[in-house]
mmCIF file of all heavy atoms in Angstrom:
data_model
loop_
_atom_site.group_PDB
_atom_site.id
_atom_site.type_symbol
_atom_site.label_atom_id
_atom_site.label_comp_id
_atom_site.label_asym_id
_atom_site.label_seq_id
_atom_site.Cartn_x
_atom_site.Cartn_y
_atom_site.Cartn_z
ATOM 1 N N MET A 991 0.847 -1.178 0.000
ATOM 2 C CA MET A 991 0.000 0.000 0.000
ATOM 3 C C MET A 991 0.891 1.239 0.000
ATOM 4 O O MET A 991 1.757 1.376 0.840
ATOM 5 C CB MET A 991 -0.883 -0.031 1.238
ATOM 6 C CG MET A 991 -1.852 1.093 1.294
ATOM 7 S SD MET A 991 -2.919 1.042 2.753
ATOM 8 C CE MET A 991 -3.711 -0.515 2.572
ATOM 9 N N SER A 992 0.672 2.100 -0.953
ATOM 10 C CA SER A 992 1.492 3.302 -1.029
ATOM 11 C C SER A 992 0.949 4.384 -0.107
ATOM 12 O O SER A 992 -0.160 4.285 0.417
ATOM 13 C CB SER A 992 1.549 3.820 -2.465
ATOM 14 O OG SER A 992 0.338 4.433 -2.802
ATOM 15 N N ARG A 993 1.709 5.405 0.051
ATOM 16 C CA ARG A 993 1.315 6.504 0.928
ATOM 17 C C ARG A 993 0.189 7.334 0.333
ATOM 18 O O ARG A 993 -0.642 7.875 1.036
ATOM 19 C CB ARG A 993 2.533 7.377 1.181
ATOM 20 C CG ARG A 993 2.296 8.442 2.194
ATOM 21 C CD ARG A 993 3.597 9.060 2.601
ATOM 22 N NE ARG A 993 3.337 10.011 3.641
ATOM 23 C CZ ARG A 993 3.754 11.246 3.621
ATOM 24 N NH1 ARG A 993 4.483 11.672 2.625
ATOM 25 N NH2 ARG A 993 3.466 12.068 4.599
ATOM 26 N N THR A 994 0.155 7.441 -0.996
ATOM 27 C CA THR A 994 -0.843 8.285 -1.647
ATOM 28 C C THR A 994 -2.067 7.517 -2.124
ATOM 29 O O THR A 994 -3.103 8.110 -2.340
ATOM 30 C CB THR A 994 -0.229 9.016 -2.848
ATOM 31 O OG1 THR A 994 0.287 8.044 -3.763
ATOM 32 C CG2 THR A 994 0.887 9.946 -2.413
ATOM 33 N N SER A 995 -1.962 6.224 -2.296
ATOM 34 C CA SER A 995 -3.086 5.432 -2.792
ATOM 35 C C SER A 995 -3.472 4.388 -1.761
ATOM 36 O O SER A 995 -2.649 3.585 -1.344
ATOM 37 C CB SER A 995 -2.705 4.757 -4.108
ATOM 38 O OG SER A 995 -3.763 3.975 -4.577
ATOM 39 N N VAL A 996 -4.729 4.398 -1.360
ATOM 40 C CA VAL A 996 -5.216 3.469 -0.351
ATOM 41 C C VAL A 996 -5.823 2.232 -1.009
ATOM 42 O O VAL A 996 -5.658 1.123 -0.542
ATOM 43 C CB VAL A 996 -6.264 4.157 0.553
ATOM 44 C CG1 VAL A 996 -6.838 3.198 1.560
ATOM 45 C CG2 VAL A 996 -5.648 5.350 1.249
ATOM 46 N N LEU A 997 -6.522 2.441 -2.122
ATOM 47 C CA LEU A 997 -7.183 1.350 -2.828
ATOM 48 C C LEU A 997 -6.410 0.970 -4.083
ATOM 49 O O LEU A 997 -5.923 1.837 -4.803
ATOM 50 C CB LEU A 997 -8.594 1.770 -3.255
ATOM 51 C CG LEU A 997 -9.574 2.101 -2.147
ATOM 52 C CD1 LEU A 997 -10.831 2.709 -2.731
ATOM 53 C CD2 LEU A 997 -9.905 0.863 -1.357
ATOM 54 N N SER A 998 -6.352 -0.321 -4.357
ATOM 55 C CA SER A 998 -5.760 -0.752 -5.624
ATOM 56 C C SER A 998 -6.778 -0.508 -6.739
ATOM 57 O O SER A 998 -7.962 -0.266 -6.478
ATOM 58 C CB SER A 998 -5.390 -2.233 -5.562
ATOM 59 O OG SER A 998 -6.555 -3.017 -5.518
ATOM 60 N N ASP A 999 -6.332 -0.577 -7.985
ATOM 61 C CA ASP A 999 -7.236 -0.372 -9.112
ATOM 62 C C ASP A 999 -8.322 -1.439 -9.156
ATOM 63 O O ASP A 999 -9.469 -1.157 -9.522
ATOM 64 C CB ASP A 999 -6.460 -0.348 -10.428
ATOM 65 C CG ASP A 999 -5.602 0.893 -10.564
ATOM 66 O OD1 ASP A 999 -5.946 1.925 -9.938
ATOM 67 O OD2 ASP A 999 -4.603 0.841 -11.303
ATOM 68 N N ASP A 1000 -7.992 -2.660 -8.771
ATOM 69 C CA ASP A 1000 -8.980 -3.737 -8.738
ATOM 70 C C ASP A 1000 -10.050 -3.462 -7.680
ATOM 71 O O ASP A 1000 -11.243 -3.636 -7.933
ATOM 72 C CB ASP A 1000 -8.283 -5.071 -8.465
ATOM 73 C CG ASP A 1000 -9.244 -6.230 -8.501
ATOM 74 O OD1 ASP A 1000 -10.040 -6.307 -9.462
ATOM 75 O OD2 ASP A 1000 -9.214 -7.050 -7.565
ATOM 76 N N GLN A 1001 -9.635 -3.016 -6.512
ATOM 77 C CA GLN A 1001 -10.593 -2.688 -5.459
ATOM 78 C C GLN A 1001 -11.484 -1.533 -5.894
ATOM 79 O O GLN A 1001 -12.692 -1.540 -5.656
ATOM 80 C CB GLN A 1001 -9.863 -2.329 -4.170
ATOM 81 C CG GLN A 1001 -9.174 -3.486 -3.513
ATOM 82 C CD GLN A 1001 -8.274 -3.046 -2.381
ATOM 83 O OE1 GLN A 1001 -7.662 -1.982 -2.438
ATOM 84 N NE2 GLN A 1001 -8.188 -3.868 -1.347
ATOM 85 N N TRP A 1002 -10.902 -0.532 -6.517
ATOM 86 C CA TRP A 1002 -11.671 0.627 -6.955
ATOM 87 C C TRP A 1002 -12.684 0.244 -8.030
ATOM 88 O O TRP A 1002 -13.810 0.738 -8.025
ATOM 89 C CB TRP A 1002 -10.755 1.730 -7.468
ATOM 90 C CG TRP A 1002 -11.542 2.899 -7.956
ATOM 91 C CD1 TRP A 1002 -11.635 3.340 -9.223
ATOM 92 C CD2 TRP A 1002 -12.387 3.751 -7.180
ATOM 93 N NE1 TRP A 1002 -12.474 4.416 -9.296
ATOM 94 C CE2 TRP A 1002 -12.948 4.686 -8.050
ATOM 95 C CE3 TRP A 1002 -12.722 3.817 -5.833
ATOM 96 C CZ2 TRP A 1002 -13.828 5.674 -7.619
ATOM 97 C CZ3 TRP A 1002 -13.593 4.808 -5.415
ATOM 98 C CH2 TRP A 1002 -14.133 5.716 -6.296
ATOM 99 N N SER A 1003 -12.323 -0.677 -8.929
ATOM 100 C CA SER A 1003 -13.249 -1.086 -9.977
ATOM 101 C C SER A 1003 -14.475 -1.798 -9.391
ATOM 102 O O SER A 1003 -15.537 -1.790 -9.999
ATOM 103 C CB SER A 1003 -12.553 -1.979 -10.998
ATOM 104 O OG SER A 1003 -12.179 -3.204 -10.428
ATOM 105 N N ARG A 1004 -14.333 -2.387 -8.218
ATOM 106 C CA ARG A 1004 -15.469 -3.023 -7.552
ATOM 107 C C ARG A 1004 -16.354 -2.004 -6.832
ATOM 108 O O ARG A 1004 -17.564 -2.172 -6.743
ATOM 109 C CB ARG A 1004 -14.997 -4.054 -6.538
ATOM 110 C CG ARG A 1004 -14.379 -5.266 -7.160
ATOM 111 C CD ARG A 1004 -13.951 -6.233 -6.103
ATOM 112 N NE ARG A 1004 -13.397 -7.427 -6.717
ATOM 113 C CZ ARG A 1004 -13.119 -8.506 -6.038
ATOM 114 N NH1 ARG A 1004 -13.336 -8.561 -4.748
ATOM 115 N NH2 ARG A 1004 -12.615 -9.547 -6.663
ATOM 116 N N ILE A 1005 -15.762 -0.958 -6.297
ATOM 117 C CA ILE A 1005 -16.496 0.038 -5.521
ATOM 118 C C ILE A 1005 -17.164 1.087 -6.410
ATOM 119 O O ILE A 1005 -18.280 1.525 -6.130
ATOM 120 C CB ILE A 1005 -15.548 0.735 -4.522
ATOM 121 C CG1 ILE A 1005 -15.080 -0.258 -3.469
ATOM 122 C CG2 ILE A 1005 -16.216 1.923 -3.857
ATOM 123 C CD1 ILE A 1005 -13.999 0.276 -2.571
ATOM 124 N N GLU A 1006 -16.521 1.481 -7.473
ATOM 125 C CA GLU A 1006 -16.982 2.596 -8.303
ATOM 126 C C GLU A 1006 -18.432 2.475 -8.787
ATOM 127 O O GLU A 1006 -19.176 3.455 -8.718
ATOM 128 C CB GLU A 1006 -16.043 2.778 -9.489
ATOM 129 C CG GLU A 1006 -16.339 4.013 -10.293
ATOM 130 C CD GLU A 1006 -15.317 4.220 -11.386
ATOM 131 O OE1 GLU A 1006 -14.674 3.250 -11.812
ATOM 132 O OE2 GLU A 1006 -15.192 5.367 -11.817
ATOM 133 N N PRO A 1007 -18.895 1.306 -9.253
ATOM 134 C CA PRO A 1007 -20.293 1.232 -9.719
ATOM 135 C C PRO A 1007 -21.325 1.439 -8.607
ATOM 136 O O PRO A 1007 -22.481 1.732 -8.883
ATOM 137 C CB PRO A 1007 -20.422 -0.181 -10.287
ATOM 138 C CG PRO A 1007 -19.057 -0.710 -10.430
ATOM 139 C CD PRO A 1007 -18.169 0.066 -9.521
ATOM 140 N N LEU A 1008 -20.931 1.318 -7.350
ATOM 141 C CA LEU A 1008 -21.861 1.466 -6.237
ATOM 142 C C LEU A 1008 -22.078 2.921 -5.838
ATOM 143 O O LEU A 1008 -23.012 3.226 -5.097
ATOM 144 C CB LEU A 1008 -21.345 0.683 -5.023
ATOM 145 C CG LEU A 1008 -21.121 -0.815 -5.261
ATOM 146 C CD1 LEU A 1008 -20.447 -1.425 -4.039
ATOM 147 C CD2 LEU A 1008 -22.411 -1.512 -5.586
ATOM 148 N N LEU A 1009 -21.217 3.819 -6.313
ATOM 149 C CA LEU A 1009 -21.307 5.232 -5.954
ATOM 150 C C LEU A 1009 -22.300 5.958 -6.854
ATOM 151 O O LEU A 1009 -22.507 5.579 -7.999
ATOM 152 C CB LEU A 1009 -19.925 5.878 -6.074
ATOM 153 C CG LEU A 1009 -18.862 5.295 -5.159
ATOM 154 C CD1 LEU A 1009 -17.519 5.909 -5.474
ATOM 155 C CD2 LEU A 1009 -19.216 5.532 -3.712
ATOM 156 N N PRO A 1010 -22.908 7.029 -6.330
ATOM 157 C CA PRO A 1010 -23.859 7.781 -7.149
ATOM 158 C C PRO A 1010 -23.131 8.517 -8.278
ATOM 159 O O PRO A 1010 -21.964 8.884 -8.149
ATOM 160 C CB PRO A 1010 -24.472 8.780 -6.168
ATOM 161 C CG PRO A 1010 -23.472 8.908 -5.081
ATOM 162 C CD PRO A 1010 -22.771 7.587 -4.994
ATOM 163 N N SER A 1011 -23.825 8.713 -9.387
ATOM 164 C CA SER A 1011 -23.244 9.476 -10.490
ATOM 165 C C SER A 1011 -24.028 10.771 -10.662
ATOM 166 O O SER A 1011 -25.160 10.901 -10.194
ATOM 167 C CB SER A 1011 -23.254 8.677 -11.786
ATOM 168 O OG SER A 1011 -24.539 8.661 -12.329
ATOM 169 N N SER A 1012 -23.455 11.711 -11.356
ATOM 170 C CA SER A 1012 -24.106 12.998 -11.571
ATOM 171 C C SER A 1012 -24.792 13.058 -12.930
ATOM 172 O O SER A 1012 -25.206 14.130 -13.353
ATOM 173 C CB SER A 1012 -23.080 14.125 -11.436
ATOM 174 O OG SER A 1012 -22.057 13.961 -12.387
ATOM 175 N N ASP A 1013 -24.932 11.936 -13.604
ATOM 176 C CA ASP A 1013 -25.614 11.904 -14.901
ATOM 177 C C ASP A 1013 -27.071 12.312 -14.733
ATOM 178 O O ASP A 1013 -27.781 11.791 -13.880
ATOM 179 C CB ASP A 1013 -25.546 10.509 -15.515
ATOM 180 C CG ASP A 1013 -24.125 10.104 -15.872
ATOM 181 O OD1 ASP A 1013 -23.270 10.998 -15.972
ATOM 182 O OD2 ASP A 1013 -23.895 8.893 -16.056
ATOM 183 N N GLY A 1014 -27.507 13.258 -15.560
ATOM 184 C CA GLY A 1014 -28.893 13.705 -15.525
ATOM 185 C C GLY A 1014 -29.224 14.665 -14.412
ATOM 186 O O GLY A 1014 -30.375 15.011 -14.202
ATOM 187 N N ARG A 1015 -28.235 15.123 -13.680
ATOM 188 C CA ARG A 1015 -28.475 16.070 -12.588
ATOM 189 C C ARG A 1015 -28.007 17.458 -12.998
ATOM 190 O O ARG A 1015 -27.053 17.609 -13.753
ATOM 191 C CB ARG A 1015 -27.728 15.648 -11.326
ATOM 192 C CG ARG A 1015 -28.254 14.359 -10.758
ATOM 193 C CD ARG A 1015 -27.606 14.087 -9.440
ATOM 194 N NE ARG A 1015 -28.090 12.802 -8.939
ATOM 195 C CZ ARG A 1015 -28.052 12.468 -7.674
ATOM 196 N NH1 ARG A 1015 -27.566 13.286 -6.795
ATOM 197 N NH2 ARG A 1015 -28.497 11.308 -7.295
ATOM 198 N N ARG A 1016 -28.656 18.433 -12.455
ATOM 199 C CA ARG A 1016 -28.270 19.810 -12.734
ATOM 200 C C ARG A 1016 -27.148 20.232 -11.797
ATOM 201 O O ARG A 1016 -26.945 19.650 -10.745
ATOM 202 C CB ARG A 1016 -29.467 20.724 -12.530
ATOM 203 C CG ARG A 1016 -30.591 20.408 -13.505
ATOM 204 C CD ARG A 1016 -31.790 21.229 -13.229
ATOM 205 N NE ARG A 1016 -31.492 22.627 -13.492
ATOM 206 C CZ ARG A 1016 -32.334 23.622 -13.301
ATOM 207 N NH1 ARG A 1016 -33.529 23.371 -12.851
ATOM 208 N NH2 ARG A 1016 -31.999 24.856 -13.570
ATOM 209 N N GLY A 1017 -26.432 21.255 -12.192
ATOM 210 C CA GLY A 1017 -25.372 21.773 -11.343
ATOM 211 C C GLY A 1017 -24.018 21.177 -11.667
ATOM 212 O O GLY A 1017 -23.807 20.561 -12.698
ATOM 213 N N ARG A 1018 -23.113 21.360 -10.762
ATOM 214 C CA ARG A 1018 -21.740 20.909 -10.944
ATOM 215 C C ARG A 1018 -21.664 19.380 -10.868
ATOM 216 O O ARG A 1018 -22.200 18.785 -9.948
ATOM 217 C CB ARG A 1018 -20.869 21.512 -9.855
ATOM 218 C CG ARG A 1018 -19.396 21.204 -10.025
ATOM 219 C CD ARG A 1018 -18.560 21.841 -8.966
ATOM 220 N NE ARG A 1018 -18.686 23.278 -9.041
ATOM 221 C CZ ARG A 1018 -18.184 24.106 -8.156
ATOM 222 N NH1 ARG A 1018 -17.529 23.642 -7.121
ATOM 223 N NH2 ARG A 1018 -18.338 25.403 -8.279
ATOM 224 N N PRO A 1019 -20.978 18.744 -11.807
ATOM 225 C CA PRO A 1019 -20.861 17.281 -11.764
ATOM 226 C C PRO A 1019 -19.955 16.827 -10.620
ATOM 227 O O PRO A 1019 -19.074 17.559 -10.178
ATOM 228 C CB PRO A 1019 -20.243 16.931 -13.117
ATOM 229 C CG PRO A 1019 -19.570 18.169 -13.571
ATOM 230 C CD PRO A 1019 -20.328 19.321 -12.976
ATOM 231 N N PHE A 1020 -20.213 15.616 -10.143
ATOM 232 C CA PHE A 1020 -19.366 15.033 -9.102
ATOM 233 C C PHE A 1020 -17.962 14.828 -9.660
ATOM 234 O O PHE A 1020 -17.784 14.433 -10.793
ATOM 235 C CB PHE A 1020 -19.904 13.683 -8.649
ATOM 236 C CG PHE A 1020 -21.276 13.728 -8.029
ATOM 237 C CD1 PHE A 1020 -22.094 12.628 -8.062
ATOM 238 C CD2 PHE A 1020 -21.749 14.864 -7.413
ATOM 239 C CE1 PHE A 1020 -23.360 12.638 -7.498
ATOM 240 C CE2 PHE A 1020 -23.009 14.898 -6.843
ATOM 241 C CZ PHE A 1020 -23.813 13.779 -6.893
ATOM 242 N N ARG A 1021 -16.977 15.078 -8.836
ATOM 243 C CA ARG A 1021 -15.586 14.832 -9.228
ATOM 244 C C ARG A 1021 -14.849 14.208 -8.064
ATOM 245 O O ARG A 1021 -15.165 14.448 -6.917
ATOM 246 C CB ARG A 1021 -14.893 16.155 -9.562
ATOM 247 C CG ARG A 1021 -15.281 16.728 -10.866
ATOM 248 C CD ARG A 1021 -14.421 17.884 -11.287
ATOM 249 N NE ARG A 1021 -13.466 18.318 -10.296
ATOM 250 C CZ ARG A 1021 -13.007 19.542 -10.199
ATOM 251 N NH1 ARG A 1021 -13.416 20.447 -11.020
ATOM 252 N NH2 ARG A 1021 -12.131 19.867 -9.288
ATOM 253 N N GLY A 1022 -13.855 13.457 -8.374
ATOM 254 C CA GLY A 1022 -12.952 12.948 -7.344
ATOM 255 C C GLY A 1022 -13.563 11.957 -6.376
ATOM 256 O O GLY A 1022 -13.236 12.000 -5.198
ATOM 257 N N ASN A 1023 -14.448 11.069 -6.853
ATOM 258 C CA ASN A 1023 -15.035 10.082 -5.943
ATOM 259 C C ASN A 1023 -13.968 9.230 -5.281
ATOM 260 O O ASN A 1023 -14.062 8.912 -4.100
ATOM 261 C CB ASN A 1023 -16.013 9.174 -6.685
ATOM 262 C CG ASN A 1023 -17.346 9.827 -6.926
ATOM 263 O OD1 ASN A 1023 -17.706 10.781 -6.259
ATOM 264 N ND2 ASN A 1023 -18.084 9.306 -7.880
ATOM 265 N N ARG A 1024 -12.954 8.850 -6.030
ATOM 266 C CA ARG A 1024 -11.909 7.993 -5.465
ATOM 267 C C ARG A 1024 -11.165 8.719 -4.352
ATOM 268 O O ARG A 1024 -10.858 8.135 -3.310
ATOM 269 C CB ARG A 1024 -10.934 7.559 -6.562
ATOM 270 C CG ARG A 1024 -9.915 6.564 -6.066
ATOM 271 C CD ARG A 1024 -9.114 5.996 -7.191
ATOM 272 N NE ARG A 1024 -8.228 4.953 -6.714
ATOM 273 C CZ ARG A 1024 -7.662 4.054 -7.473
ATOM 274 N NH1 ARG A 1024 -7.868 4.056 -8.763
ATOM 275 N NH2 ARG A 1024 -6.867 3.142 -6.965
ATOM 276 N N LYS A 1025 -10.908 9.984 -4.546
ATOM 277 C CA LYS A 1025 -10.203 10.770 -3.539
ATOM 278 C C LYS A 1025 -11.020 10.863 -2.241
ATOM 279 O O LYS A 1025 -10.479 10.773 -1.148
ATOM 280 C CB LYS A 1025 -9.932 12.167 -4.094
ATOM 281 C CG LYS A 1025 -8.983 12.981 -3.303
ATOM 282 C CD LYS A 1025 -8.686 14.263 -4.052
ATOM 283 C CE LYS A 1025 -7.488 14.956 -3.503
ATOM 284 N NZ LYS A 1025 -7.172 16.179 -4.226
ATOM 285 N N VAL A 1026 -12.328 11.025 -2.370
ATOM 286 C CA VAL A 1026 -13.200 11.113 -1.204
ATOM 287 C C VAL A 1026 -13.241 9.779 -0.463
ATOM 288 O O VAL A 1026 -13.101 9.733 0.760
ATOM 289 C CB VAL A 1026 -14.627 11.546 -1.622
ATOM 290 C CG1 VAL A 1026 -15.594 11.426 -0.464
ATOM 291 C CG2 VAL A 1026 -14.610 12.961 -2.158
ATOM 292 N N VAL A 1027 -13.408 8.697 -1.197
ATOM 293 C CA VAL A 1027 -13.471 7.367 -0.571
ATOM 294 C C VAL A 1027 -12.149 7.037 0.119
ATOM 295 O O VAL A 1027 -12.133 6.538 1.243
ATOM 296 C CB VAL A 1027 -13.846 6.286 -1.612
ATOM 297 C CG1 VAL A 1027 -13.698 4.896 -1.033
ATOM 298 C CG2 VAL A 1027 -15.259 6.505 -2.120
ATOM 299 N N GLU A 1028 -11.035 7.334 -0.532
ATOM 300 C CA GLU A 1028 -9.738 7.067 0.084
ATOM 301 C C GLU A 1028 -9.512 7.951 1.303
ATOM 302 O O GLU A 1028 -8.882 7.523 2.273
ATOM 303 C CB GLU A 1028 -8.624 7.237 -0.935
ATOM 304 C CG GLU A 1028 -8.611 6.112 -1.947
ATOM 305 C CD GLU A 1028 -7.435 6.163 -2.901
ATOM 306 O OE1 GLU A 1028 -6.705 7.171 -2.916
ATOM 307 O OE2 GLU A 1028 -7.252 5.182 -3.634
ATOM 308 N N GLY A 1029 -10.034 9.167 1.293
ATOM 309 C CA GLY A 1029 -9.938 10.032 2.470
ATOM 310 C C GLY A 1029 -10.702 9.466 3.651
ATOM 311 O O GLY A 1029 -10.242 9.519 4.794
ATOM 312 N N ILE A 1030 -11.877 8.911 3.381
ATOM 313 C CA ILE A 1030 -12.672 8.286 4.444
ATOM 314 C C ILE A 1030 -11.953 7.067 5.003
ATOM 315 O O ILE A 1030 -11.878 6.876 6.222
ATOM 316 C CB ILE A 1030 -14.067 7.913 3.910
ATOM 317 C CG1 ILE A 1030 -14.857 9.183 3.600
ATOM 318 C CG2 ILE A 1030 -14.816 7.034 4.902
ATOM 319 C CD1 ILE A 1030 -16.120 8.955 2.818
ATOM 320 N N ILE A 1031 -11.404 6.245 4.137
ATOM 321 C CA ILE A 1031 -10.652 5.064 4.582
ATOM 322 C C ILE A 1031 -9.438 5.485 5.411
ATOM 323 O O ILE A 1031 -9.155 4.914 6.469
ATOM 324 C CB ILE A 1031 -10.225 4.207 3.383
ATOM 325 C CG1 ILE A 1031 -11.453 3.593 2.716
ATOM 326 C CG2 ILE A 1031 -9.251 3.112 3.811
ATOM 327 C CD1 ILE A 1031 -11.164 2.940 1.384
ATOM 328 N N TYR A 1032 -8.722 6.494 4.951
ATOM 329 C CA TYR A 1032 -7.548 6.987 5.668
ATOM 330 C C TYR A 1032 -7.930 7.504 7.055
ATOM 331 O O TYR A 1032 -7.246 7.248 8.036
ATOM 332 C CB TYR A 1032 -6.879 8.092 4.854
ATOM 333 C CG TYR A 1032 -5.657 8.670 5.507
ATOM 334 C CD1 TYR A 1032 -4.444 7.998 5.455
ATOM 335 C CD2 TYR A 1032 -5.712 9.875 6.187
ATOM 336 C CE1 TYR A 1032 -3.316 8.519 6.056
ATOM 337 C CE2 TYR A 1032 -4.594 10.406 6.795
ATOM 338 C CZ TYR A 1032 -3.399 9.725 6.726
ATOM 339 O OH TYR A 1032 -2.293 10.242 7.329
ATOM 340 N N ARG A 1033 -9.047 8.205 7.120
ATOM 341 C CA ARG A 1033 -9.501 8.770 8.392
ATOM 342 C C ARG A 1033 -9.782 7.663 9.399
ATOM 343 O O ARG A 1033 -9.393 7.728 10.553
ATOM 344 C CB ARG A 1033 -10.763 9.604 8.154
ATOM 345 C CG ARG A 1033 -11.302 10.281 9.396
ATOM 346 C CD ARG A 1033 -12.582 9.560 9.817
ATOM 347 N NE ARG A 1033 -13.189 10.219 10.947
ATOM 348 C CZ ARG A 1033 -13.197 9.710 12.162
ATOM 349 N NH1 ARG A 1033 -12.605 8.588 12.419
ATOM 350 N NH2 ARG A 1033 -13.787 10.319 13.141
ATOM 351 N N TYR A 1034 -10.476 6.619 8.968
ATOM 352 C CA TYR A 1034 -10.782 5.511 9.880
ATOM 353 C C TYR A 1034 -9.537 4.712 10.240
ATOM 354 O O TYR A 1034 -9.403 4.239 11.360
ATOM 355 C CB TYR A 1034 -11.839 4.586 9.282
ATOM 356 C CG TYR A 1034 -13.232 5.121 9.506
ATOM 357 C CD1 TYR A 1034 -13.957 5.642 8.459
ATOM 358 C CD2 TYR A 1034 -13.796 5.128 10.771
ATOM 359 C CE1 TYR A 1034 -15.230 6.154 8.668
ATOM 360 C CE2 TYR A 1034 -15.056 5.640 10.989
ATOM 361 C CZ TYR A 1034 -15.771 6.146 9.933
ATOM 362 O OH TYR A 1034 -17.018 6.661 10.143
ATOM 363 N N ARG A 1035 -8.627 4.553 9.294
ATOM 364 C CA ARG A 1035 -7.416 3.787 9.566
ATOM 365 C C ARG A 1035 -6.516 4.496 10.569
ATOM 366 O O ARG A 1035 -5.944 3.875 11.461
ATOM 367 C CB ARG A 1035 -6.650 3.552 8.271
ATOM 368 C CG ARG A 1035 -5.501 2.579 8.430
ATOM 369 C CD ARG A 1035 -4.788 2.362 7.149
ATOM 370 N NE ARG A 1035 -4.099 3.601 6.816
ATOM 371 C CZ ARG A 1035 -3.555 3.867 5.650
ATOM 372 N NH1 ARG A 1035 -3.639 2.999 4.680
ATOM 373 N NH2 ARG A 1035 -2.953 4.993 5.428
ATOM 374 N N CYS A 1036 -6.416 5.809 10.467
ATOM 375 C CA CYS A 1036 -5.516 6.570 11.334
ATOM 376 C C CYS A 1036 -6.191 7.117 12.583
ATOM 377 O O CYS A 1036 -5.513 7.521 13.519
ATOM 378 C CB CYS A 1036 -4.911 7.726 10.551
ATOM 379 S SG CYS A 1036 -3.865 7.171 9.210
ATOM 380 N N GLY A 1037 -7.526 7.190 12.559
ATOM 381 C CA GLY A 1037 -8.250 7.687 13.725
ATOM 382 C C GLY A 1037 -8.160 9.189 13.901
ATOM 383 O O GLY A 1037 -8.273 9.688 15.022
ATOM 384 N N ILE A 1038 -8.004 9.934 12.813
ATOM 385 C CA ILE A 1038 -7.912 11.380 12.920
ATOM 386 C C ILE A 1038 -9.306 11.999 12.875
ATOM 387 O O ILE A 1038 -10.271 11.384 12.434
ATOM 388 C CB ILE A 1038 -7.027 11.992 11.806
ATOM 389 C CG1 ILE A 1038 -7.598 11.655 10.436
ATOM 390 C CG2 ILE A 1038 -5.616 11.505 11.924
ATOM 391 C CD1 ILE A 1038 -6.831 12.292 9.284
ATOM 392 N N ALA A 1039 -9.413 13.233 13.321
ATOM 393 C CA ALA A 1039 -10.690 13.942 13.320
ATOM 394 C C ALA A 1039 -11.067 14.362 11.907
ATOM 395 O O ALA A 1039 -10.203 14.599 11.063
ATOM 396 C CB ALA A 1039 -10.598 15.179 14.218
ATOM 397 N N TRP A 1040 -12.387 14.454 11.653
ATOM 398 C CA TRP A 1040 -12.860 14.844 10.319
ATOM 399 C C TRP A 1040 -12.336 16.206 9.907
ATOM 400 O O TRP A 1040 -12.031 16.456 8.758
ATOM 401 C CB TRP A 1040 -14.387 14.874 10.288
ATOM 402 C CG TRP A 1040 -14.995 13.518 10.184
ATOM 403 C CD1 TRP A 1040 -15.677 12.871 11.165
ATOM 404 C CD2 TRP A 1040 -14.959 12.633 9.058
ATOM 405 N NE1 TRP A 1040 -16.081 11.630 10.720
ATOM 406 C CE2 TRP A 1040 -15.660 11.459 9.434
ATOM 407 C CE3 TRP A 1040 -14.427 12.712 7.786
ATOM 408 C CZ2 TRP A 1040 -15.822 10.387 8.564
ATOM 409 C CZ3 TRP A 1040 -14.594 11.639 6.930
ATOM 410 C CH2 TRP A 1040 -15.282 10.501 7.317
ATOM 411 N N ARG A 1041 -12.236 17.128 10.848
ATOM 412 C CA ARG A 1041 -11.799 18.493 10.511
ATOM 413 C C ARG A 1041 -10.338 18.527 10.026
ATOM 414 O O ARG A 1041 -9.921 19.470 9.385
ATOM 415 C CB ARG A 1041 -11.971 19.401 11.708
ATOM 416 C CG ARG A 1041 -11.063 19.081 12.863
ATOM 417 C CD ARG A 1041 -11.250 20.018 14.050
ATOM 418 N NE ARG A 1041 -10.461 19.567 15.165
ATOM 419 C CZ ARG A 1041 -10.871 18.715 16.083
ATOM 420 N NH1 ARG A 1041 -12.096 18.226 16.028
ATOM 421 N NH2 ARG A 1041 -10.091 18.339 17.069
ATOM 422 N N ASP A 1042 -9.561 17.484 10.330
ATOM 423 C CA ASP A 1042 -8.172 17.441 9.922
ATOM 424 C C ASP A 1042 -7.974 16.888 8.520
ATOM 425 O O ASP A 1042 -6.867 16.886 8.008
ATOM 426 C CB ASP A 1042 -7.352 16.615 10.904
ATOM 427 C CG ASP A 1042 -7.286 17.272 12.271
ATOM 428 O OD1 ASP A 1042 -7.465 18.500 12.332
ATOM 429 O OD2 ASP A 1042 -7.064 16.567 13.262
ATOM 430 N N LEU A 1043 -9.053 16.395 7.896
ATOM 431 C CA LEU A 1043 -8.919 15.924 6.518
ATOM 432 C C LEU A 1043 -8.787 17.124 5.666
ATOM 433 O O LEU A 1043 -8.745 17.382 4.669
ATOM 434 C CB LEU A 1043 -10.127 15.079 6.108
ATOM 435 C CG LEU A 1043 -10.160 13.692 6.696
ATOM 436 C CD1 LEU A 1043 -11.418 12.974 6.265
ATOM 437 C CD2 LEU A 1043 -8.969 12.876 6.246
#
């Protein structure tokens, strides 16, 4: 596991279809789903406060 990447590409390919998409929605499209998910995983793994993300 690298310092910058928490999920492997194989793991991400399994998780990605489960996340909501911005297709057909008004406003700014969703970006960086992988970054958000990895931030959540990092937070739980290290036990840091949400405000420190």
